[in-house]
Amino acid sequence: MIRRDFIKFIIASLASHPLAATAQRAIPVIGALSPAARPPQFETSFYVGFLEGMRELGYVEGKDYLIEWRFAGGDYARLPELAKELIALKVNVLFATSTAAILAAHKETNSVPIVMGYYEDDPAAEHGLVASLARPAGNVTGLAAMGLQIVSKHLEFIRAILPDATRLGVLVNPTLASYRSAVPIVRASAERVGMTVSDWEAHTPEEIESAFIAMGQANLGAILLISDAFSFVHRRRIVELSLAKRLPLVVVGPREYALAGALMSYGASVYDLFRRAATYVDKIMKGAKPGDLPIEQPTKFDLVVNLKTAKALGVQIPDKMLAVADEVIE
């Protein structure tokens, strides 16, 4: 009778405290922070690259891990609050999708591991984010897109497409982490191909509108957009304005800009970077320290050309460029 009463007591205790029964097998929680808006078709967006990477490593969402997504909708001011919210959930690791989210997360914690999905430039060169690419040393690791390191390629593309262009307009978000270094790098690259540069800033929808009014009056040959989460949210409006002003738009950024109607985009594959970010999360959840995991750079860059836009603008795309493009939109 004593043994039977004891078993009843244990069963009753577990029933009244269900967390006690699952505490030993609680699954890890990943917090995912993005400065952009949640895509309406999330299942076909580049965010799925991270989930695919987890699947490739043998993880089943809901069984082997949980993920909490937070999107700032292009409003960078919301990122600190969203980062705090995820940290308060005691997530095992933070997957910060791009530069603004990475910096916001890093400001809020130096203990929760942070995996970078897409740091636009070099995280070792600014903000004291990491000690070096080879040995980050802190709580941040992951992938760096090194976008400004390839901007000379964009100028070569512009020169090949528009051999008579002499003036280039650069559109950039002044709150972008690498803003101060971006414009001088573009200007130096433009000078090498015989072009002068004027830059315009935009970090609100109203500033996008006013920037295009000014650029439309500046006798530009083309516009180079240095992308970030804000411009990504407003990419369709940016494309509409560039077409209305008949200004060829070339983007330092992912393929989604060309899909939205930009003449051309060239940048690291965000899907591929996010897929690779899963390997960092896997290692960290298995006990690795983020500071010991070297930061990796892109291995896949997408050159996407929109022939429909080219025809609308009367721009002839060289056959050689079409032959090497990863994707041609017709």
Side-chain angles (χ1 to χ4, degrees), residues 76 120 148 151 169-184 186-187 197-204 207-208 211-212 215 223-232 238 249-252 257:
Y76 289 7
E120 274 92 349
L148 294 180
V151 76
V170 177
L171 183 62
V172 63
N173 182 349
T175 66
L176 189 67
S178 55
Y179 166 67
R180 293 186 184 280
S181 57
V183 175
V186 174
R187 184 169 282 115
V197 169
S198 298
D199 61 285
W200 282 265
E201 301 176 356
H203 74 288
T204 67
E207 288 180 352
I208 291 175
F212 270 94
M215 287 190 289
I223 299 172
L224 182 69
L225 170 64
I226 300 174
S227 71
D228 72 319
F230 169 76
S231 65
F232 188 84
I238 291 172
L249 177 66
V250 175
V251 182
V252 183
Y257 286 91

Side-chain angles (χ1 to χ4, degrees), residues 154-168:
H154 298 79
L155 274 297
E156 291 174 14
F157 293 146
I158 292 171
R159 174 54 71 220
I161 296 171
L162 303 162
D164 298 326
T166 58
R167 294 197 65 197
L168 177 69

Side-chain angles (χ1 to χ4, degrees), residues 72-246:
D75 182 0
Y76 289 7
R78 294 187 59 211
L79 286 169
E81 169 196 347
L82 295 174
K84 287 176 183 176
E85 189 175 310
L86 289 170
I87 293 166
L89 293 176
K90 299 191 182 302
V91 296
N92 298 79
V93 59
L94 274 168
F95 169 49
T97 63
S98 61
T99 305
I102 294 160
L103 294 176
H106 184 246
K107 189 173 181 179
E108 297 301 330
T109 180
N110 57 10
S111 57
V112 178
I114 298 170
V115 171
M116 304 184 296
Y118 185 100
Y119 191 89
E120 274 92 349
D121 198 27
D122 182 354
E126 53 190 9
H127 301 293
L129 197 61
V130 298
S132 69
L133 298 182
R135 192 172 178 80
N139 66 318
V140 179
T141 189
L143 295 122
M146 311 296 282
L148 294 180
Q149 310 303 315
I150 61 167
V151 76
S152 61
K153 293 292 294 182
H154 298 79
L155 274 297
E156 291 174 14
F157 293 146
I158 292 171
R159 174 54 71 220
I161 296 171
L162 303 162
D164 298 326
T166 58
R167 294 197 65 197
L168 177 69
V170 177
L171 183 62
V172 63
N173 182 349
T175 66
L176 189 67
S178 55
Y179 166 67
R180 293 186 184 280
S181 57
V183 175
I185 289 173
V186 174
R187 184 169 282 115
S189 297
E191 287 175 357
R192 284 194 289 271
V193 295
M195 300 181 75
T196 59
V197 169
S198 298
D199 61 285
W200 282 265
E201 301 176 356
H203 74 288
T204 67
E206 294 76 20
E207 288 180 352
I208 291 175
E209 302 289 330
S210 60
F212 270 94
I213 291 173
M215 287 190 289
Q217 300 169 348
N219 193 31
L220 301 175
I223 299 172
L224 182 69
L225 170 64
I226 300 174
S227 71
D228 72 319
F230 169 76
S231 65
F232 188 84
V233 169
H234 298 284
R235 65 191 182 279
R236 290 182 177 83
R237 182 55 181 161
I238 291 172
V239 166
E240 288 174 359
L241 290 168
S242 69
L243 291 172
K245 300 294 183 182
R246 298 193 61 79

